[in-house]
């Protein structure tokens, strides 16, 4: 359950103050599937960063599963990210020197889980993405679609409740893009809350909720 | 994160850039090797000098006329002129059962000539026991004859350099020469090893002490060398000597007794301090290597900024990131240190095989100190880059590529 109330986010650009988000309210129920759409600079990436606890709003309240997050210390926010939120980026952000399996293992390693438990969960996450035969490949040995599916496996290996995807198909061709969308939607069907930021009309149409943004505010929901 | 995971992650990050890692390791290794090698050099020099002293004999006491130590008593009202140390005093010392041998010494400079050749050299007057007290050996002939030290026999024992200068490679034994205006017969030749710290006997002539006293017209002795019965009786021997001299000098304590140990201790301290100083200078190169580690880590942090952003998005805490980068710096420092210590030992081994006369000795503390300093350096210089990484803003870090 996500509840945003009166979220403000301002950036200082030169001597000008830019309002990336102004007085934004948004509620997402568990298992929601929302596409955030809008032109560049409309504040959709800022919204995603705030939802992912990577950024703090200047004003307003953000309750994640009933926990007020805006005033939590960084340590606690890192822990919430680790346990409840998964990220999928446009540029994949896989670590090039690690294999697919090791990249997927990363969040579990950071959480300090025991090795045996890690191995099982990594195997399961890779299997779910159909990547078991690719487990020992490094990112440069994988196709774009495979890389993004490794990233999805990494985002879901800790079984978070919320998956945030920033232009997940932006660097992919149509066919691999469709694969990735199918994978994300399958996860949503299992109950994961899915928020996708996209320019892609085709992708946006598939979501149950379409949130159109412009100039830091929600135009239509 | 679990420590083992931090360690493996850091190690893999290092092996991902082999050239950079090897170069940094080399710098660290050379710096560590410099510290260990230089302290080995200092320690080698210390042992070399101590060995030289040992050649003088370890149960040696040196008696110097005049009192050089202050005892804090009343200052003398009558100008205290120290009494001469005489041959009689020297002979009297043999009354102590802790004194084994006594060698009185007079020293002066005189012209030694054979025919038209002449040379101004040190003339040492002593007795037959001198050769044993100083542990000298002869190359040819014999040493001063034992017997009454008051007899001024016209005989001389020459050092190698002097004999070579006067006799041009011919055997000097039995030849005659003049010392000052007196005639002497050469009866012995010292071996080449007669050089030891403090005096060079190779360019000197040794004559009976009475002859030297007559030659220089001085009844006083320069020194008296005393060989004690053993190392453990050094102190009692010194006490006996003071008592005997006091009795003979009307109750005046007017000689100074120097033990070999005191002399040795002084040199030991000086050379020990020198070794530390040299090692300290070498430690500067460790600091330089530390700056290099910092540089490499800073480059690494800026190259891996998106990776740090990702780690934070995946839930890494500040201290996880700090730990990762600090471990990397420490790994570099530790591996460099181990390689450097190995390098130093290899260098010492090579040097010692090449130059057996002067042995390098690695002091026990040197590798330990080098390891501690370089690990400290790694920590210190790794901290700044690691903190920079830990404090990166995840949003900005992720978008930097």
């Amino acid at each position: 359950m996500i509840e945003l109330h009166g979220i403000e986010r301002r950036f200082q650009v030169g001597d000008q103050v830019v309002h990336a988000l102004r007085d934004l309210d948004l509620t997402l129920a568990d298992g929601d599937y929302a596409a955030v759409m809008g032109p560049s600079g409309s504040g959709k990436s800022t919204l995603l960063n705030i939802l992912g606890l990577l950024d703090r709003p200047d004003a307003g309240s953000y309750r994640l599963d009933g926990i007020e997050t805006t005033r939590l210390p960084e340590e606690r926010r890192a822990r919430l990210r680790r346990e409840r939120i998964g990220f999928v980026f446009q540029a994949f952000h896989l670590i090039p020197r690690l294999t697919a399996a090791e990249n997927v293992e990363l969040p579990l390693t950071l959480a300090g889980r025991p090795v045996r438990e890690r191995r099982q969960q990594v195997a399961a996450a890779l299997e779910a993405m159909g990547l078991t035969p690719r487990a020992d490949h490094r990112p440069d040995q994988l196709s774009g679609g495979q890389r993004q599916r490794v990233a999805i496996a990494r985002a879901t290996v800790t079984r978070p409740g919320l998956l945030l995807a920033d232009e997940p198909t932006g660097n992919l061709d149509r066919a691999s893009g469709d694969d990735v969308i199918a994978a994300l939607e399958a996860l949503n069907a299992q109950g994961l809350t899915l928020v996708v930021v996209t320019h892609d009309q085709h992708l946006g149409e598939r979501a149950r909720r379409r949130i159109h943004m412009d100039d830091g505010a929600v135009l239509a929901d | 994160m679990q420590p083992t995971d931090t360690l493996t992650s850091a190690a893999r990050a290092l092996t991902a850039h082999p050239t950079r890692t090897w170069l940094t390791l080399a710098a660290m290794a050379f710096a560590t090797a410099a510290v260990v090698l230089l302290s080995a050099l200092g320690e080698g020099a210390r042992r070399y000098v101590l060995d030289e002293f040992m050649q003088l004999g370890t149960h040696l006491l040196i008696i110097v006329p005049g009192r050089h130590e202050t005892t804090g008593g009343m200052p003398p009202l009558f100008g205290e002129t120290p009494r001469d140390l005489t041959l009689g005093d020297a002979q009297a010392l043999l009354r102590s059962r802790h004194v084994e041998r006594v060698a009185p010494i007079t020293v002066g400079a005189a012209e030694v000539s054979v025919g038209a050749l002449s040379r101004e050299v040190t003339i040492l007057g002593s007795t037959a026991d001198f050769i044993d007290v100083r542990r000298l050996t002869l190359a040819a002939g014999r040493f001063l004859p034992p017997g009454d030290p008051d007899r001024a026999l016209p005989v001389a024992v020459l050092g190698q350099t002097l004999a070579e200068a006067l006799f041009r490679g011919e055997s000097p034994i039995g030849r005659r020469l003049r010392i000052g205006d007196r005639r002497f017969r050469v009866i012995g030749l010292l071996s080449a090893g007669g050089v030891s710290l403090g005096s060079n006997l190779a360019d000197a002539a040794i004559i009976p002490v009475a002859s030297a006293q007559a030659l220089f017209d001085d009844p006083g002795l320069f020194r008296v060398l005393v060989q004690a019965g053993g190392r453990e009786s050094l102190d009692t021997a010194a006490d006996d000597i003071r008592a005997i001299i006091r009795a003979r000098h009307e109750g005046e304590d007017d000689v100074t007794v120097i033990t070999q140990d005191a002399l040795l201790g002084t040199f030991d301290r000086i050379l020990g301090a020198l070794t530390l100083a040299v090692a300290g200078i070498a430690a500067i190169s460790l600091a330089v290597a530390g700056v290099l580690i910092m540089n490499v880590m800073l480059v690494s942090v800026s190259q891996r900024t998106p990776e740090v952003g990702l780690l934070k998005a995946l839930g890494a805490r500040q201290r996880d990131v700090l730990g990762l980068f600090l471990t990397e710096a420490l790994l570099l420092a530790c591996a460099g240190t181990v390689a450097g210590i190995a390098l130093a030992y290899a260098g010492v081994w090579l040097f010692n095989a090449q130059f057996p006369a002067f042995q390098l000795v690695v002091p026990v503390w040197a590798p330990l100190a080098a390891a501690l300093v370089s690990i400290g350096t790694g920590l210190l210089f790794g901290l700044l880059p690691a903190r920079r990484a830990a404090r990166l803003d995840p949003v900005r870090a992720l978008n930097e590529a």
Side-chain angles (χ1 to χ4, degrees), chain A residues 3 8 10 18 39 41 46 66-67 143 177 210:
Chain A
E3 297 152 282
E8 291 276 342
R10 297 179 290 270
V18 177
T46 307
I67 305 162
S143 72
R210 280 173 292 280

Side-chain angles (χ1 to χ4, degrees), chain A residues 49 53-55 74-75 78-79 81-82 85 87 89 92-99 102-103 106-107 109-115 118 154-155, chain B residues 1-2 5-6 9 12-14 16-17 304 306-307 309-320 324 328 393-395 397-401:
Chain A
N49 290 335
L53 298 175
L54 292 177
D55 197 4
E74 199 42 52
E75 189 100 330
R79 188 162 163 194
R81 281 202 292 274
R82 203 161 66 211
I85 303 169
F87 289 93
F89 306 96
F92 318 135
H93 280 303
L94 299 177
I95 294 179
R97 59 178 183 275
L98 302 182
T99 66
E102 287 164 339
N103 267 291
L106 215 47
T109 308
L110 286 170
R113 301 279 174 76
V115 177
R118 278 171 7 204
R154 179 181 64 192
Chain B
M1 261 181 108
Q2 292 179 5
D5 291 323
T6 306
S9 301
R12 296 196 60 165
L14 284 175
H17 295 279
R304 277 151 62 196
E307 184 183 320
L310 171 78
L311 290 178
K312 291 202 157 184
L314 295 182
R317 294 161 301 179
Q318 283 207 1
R319 67 172 120 130
D320 293 326
L324 273 172
E328 255 183 69
D393 171 44
V395 174
L398 273 169
N399 292 329
E400 208 174 281

Side-chain angles (χ1 to χ4, degrees), chain B residues 264-322:
Chain B
L264 221 76
T266 307
F267 267 92
D268 200 22
R269 277 196 298 280
I270 292 172
L271 289 164
L274 206 69
T275 305
L276 275 180
V278 170
I281 292 168
I284 294 173
S285 60
L286 268 179
V288 174
V291 174
L292 197 73
I293 287 188
M294 174 150 75
N295 192 34
V296 163
M297 291 311 297
L298 282 173
V299 169
S300 179
V301 169
S302 65
Q303 277 182 350
R304 277 151 62 196
T305 298
E307 184 183 320
V308 173
L310 171 78
L311 290 178
K312 291 202 157 184
L314 295 182
R317 294 161 301 179
Q318 283 207 1
R319 67 172 120 130
D320 293 326
V321 178
L322 190 80

Side-chain angles (χ1 to χ4, degrees), chain B residues 113 152-156 176-186 211 215:
Chain B
S113 56
L153 288 172
V155 292
R176 294 185 178 278
L177 48 71
R178 297 182 77 86
I179 299 177
D181 55 356
R182 285 155 197 263
R183 294 168 66 83
F184 286 83
R185 190 164 51 89
V186 180
S211 309
L215 185 68

